[in-house]
Structures are given as structure tokens and as C-alpha cells.
Amino acid sequence: MEVVQDAQPEAAVAAEIKPPSSIDLRKKLVQITLEKKNLSHLVARVGLVLDVTGSMMPLYKNGTVQEVVERILAVACKFDDNASLDVWVYDNEFSRLSAATEADLEQYVQKQILTNPHIHKFGRNNEPPVMKDVIHKYTVEEISSLPVFLVFINDGGVVKAIKKVITEAAVHPIFWQFVGIGHSDFEVLKQLDTMEGRIVDNANFIHIHDIASISDEALYNLLLNEFPQWIEAATNQRILRQ
């Protein structure tokens, strides 16, 4: 006797085949980038500082900043053993936010920043206080032998005093990757690569006019371009210990 199996309903079959999420696709692109740069076995802590001054308001409201958080979280998922992203925001004040993870990524910016009454936002620029808090977290509160990859998003108006903070921070295991977005001249940030008086070059600056339109592949390549050189230099100077 021929046995005919019941066909699965189309809806059930469709439910079993889930398309990969955007964060999963981005993690794959990060992995490819890390392999190209010989960083695939590196463990690091990852942080993100977001400019929340008044000129950034449109990018918060149109979802661009939420997208930035996801794109950097993908890096944290590949580098960080906890797969979490430490996040700060700043204008003329600063706040530490709850770490971003895949579990709480949805509406992260809306919940943590835009509708959070405790977050000071859309004021003027003042970078040194938040930078000093980043340093305090990673070198006093949570001492570790792991390097820190810190992405710093800014749309212009950086105060000159950041150069002193960066110079003094060169002895710490923190690499500062500044990302300028928009059409400012970024005069201060452009000087980071040529600043003297540091044991190692601990900062890099890239300018992306429209961060919403750059591909993930291009973004990750730019973000991680100078990190390997800093890892080598910091290891040679015993800032990092193997």
C-alpha cells in the first residue's frame, strides 16, 4: 500500500525559512574585514561615542543614528567576548547609556536617547568630559589587558582641548577612531595623525559625508584600517601585553 505523507502547509514551510537579519549580514562582513586585516582572532572591548548636539537632530529622527548603532554593534559582536557595545552620548554634557546588544537593539536610540528624559541632548559641543569618562571606565573601573576600539561619531565643531586628552591617553590601551560625518571642515580632527608628543599614534580620523549611503563593506574597511598598526605599536611599547 502506498503511503502518502501529508504536505506541510506553505505557511509552515515559510516560517522555517527565515531570511538572515541585517545584523547577521553585517557580522559576516565584519568577519571578512577582520580576516583581511589579520584581526580575526583578536578579542577587544568596543565602545561608541555619539554626538548628540543640535545639528545632529535630523540624523537621530530619520533613523540614521539607530543604523549606526547596529553597524558598530556588529563589530562588537565579532571583537567583544560579551558581544556588547558600550555607548556614550554627549553635547555640552554627557551620559553613559546601557550597553547595546542584539537582544535590545530594536528601538535602542528611541528608548535610550530620544524619549529618555534623563539624557541631555541637542546642545553644543564639549568633547573632553565624555572622553575622560571613557578613559576612566576602561582604565579605572574595568581594568583589563584587552585593547579598546572606540568609535567616536561627530558632525563638526570639536573643541581643540581634545588634543590634550588624546595625547595623555596614548599610554592607555584605547584606540580612538573618529568618524566625521556631514560637511564640516573638521580642522581639529584632521590634525590627529600628525600630533607629536605621544608614545604611539592612538587616534585616526575618517570623513564620511553621508554615513547613511556608504556600504557596510566600505565602512568596516575604513573603520578598521589603522587599528592593526596601533595594535602592533601598542604591543611593542608594552601598552598592550600579549
Side-chain angles (χ1 to χ4, degrees), residues 34-121:
L34 294 178
E35 290 171 357
K36 289 179 179 177
K37 298 181 183 296
N38 296 317
L39 293 174
S40 58
H41 300 296
L42 180 70
V43 178
R45 295 182 287 179
V46 182
L48 173 64
V49 177
L50 292 167
D51 183 340
V52 71
T53 56
S55 55
M56 286 284 293
M57 187 184 296
L59 298 182
Y60 278 87
K61 293 191 173 182
N62 69 11
T64 297
V65 176
Q66 172 69 29
E67 196 79 355
V68 167
V69 172
E70 178 173 317
R71 295 170 99 172
I72 307 305
L73 176 59
V75 178
C77 287
K78 303 307 295 186
F79 266 151
D80 193 306
D81 55 356
N82 292 323
S84 65
L85 175 65
D86 299 322
V87 185
W88 287 259
V89 293
Y90 82 95
D91 52 5
N92 47 295
E93 299 183 15
F94 73 87
S95 298
R96 287 191 204 179
L97 306 184
S98 299
T101 66
E102 288 189 64
D104 61 10
L105 178 60
E106 187 175 359
Q107 295 292 307
Y108 179 88
V109 167
Q110 184 72 19
K111 295 174 183 176
Q112 294 288 333
I113 305 172
L114 292 179
T115 60
N116 186 343
H118 304 293
I119 301 298
H120 196 276
K121 42 191 172 283

Side-chain angles (χ1 to χ4, degrees), residues 39 88 90 102 120 126 134-135 139 147 176 179 182 190 196 210 241:
L39 293 174
W88 287 259
Y90 82 95
E102 288 189 64
H120 196 276
N126 188 21
V134 168
I135 295 167
T139 65
W176 303 78
V179 181
K190 288 177 180 176
E196 297 180 351
D210 184 1
R241 300 188 183 276

Side-chain angles (χ1 to χ4, degrees), residues 166-167 169-172 174 195 197-203 230 232-237 239:
I166 288 291
T167 299
V171 298
H172 299 305
I174 304 171
M195 286 196 316
R198 294 174 292 171
I199 187 171
V200 294
D201 179 356
N202 61 333
W230 174 79
E232 182 178 1
T235 301
N236 290 340
Q237 293 293 339
I239 297 168

Side-chain angles (χ1 to χ4, degrees), residues 22 26 31 57 75 99 125 147 157 186 196 210 215 224 234 238:
S22 58
R26 284 170 169 156
Q31 183 63 34
M57 187 184 296
V75 178
N125 286 75
F186 298 104
E196 297 180 351
D210 184 1
S215 70
L224 296 164
R238 298 188 177 181

Side-chain angles (χ1 to χ4, degrees), residues 121-193:
K121 42 191 172 283
F122 307 132
R124 56 180 173 78
N125 286 75
N126 188 21
E127 288 79 16
V130 69
M131 295 172 70
K132 291 176 182 178
D133 192 63
V134 168
I135 295 167
H136 192 268
K137 175 182 173 67
Y138 291 127
T139 65
V140 178
E141 297 176 23
E142 300 176 8
I143 298 173
S144 170
S145 61
L146 296 177
V148 176
F149 181 67
L150 196 288
V151 179
F152 198 113
I153 305 291
N154 169 266
D155 76 338
V158 174
V159 300
K160 293 181 179 179
I162 73 159
K163 294 194 285 187
K164 184 174 186 292
V165 181
I166 288 291
T167 299
E168 293 176 348
V171 298
H172 299 305
I174 304 171
F175 181 76
W176 303 78
Q177 177 57 68
F178 287 87
V179 181
I181 59 177
H183 302 285
S184 178
D185 60 12
F186 298 104
E187 178 184 358
V188 175
L189 294 178
K190 288 177 180 176
Q191 299 171 10
L192 293 179
D193 274 339

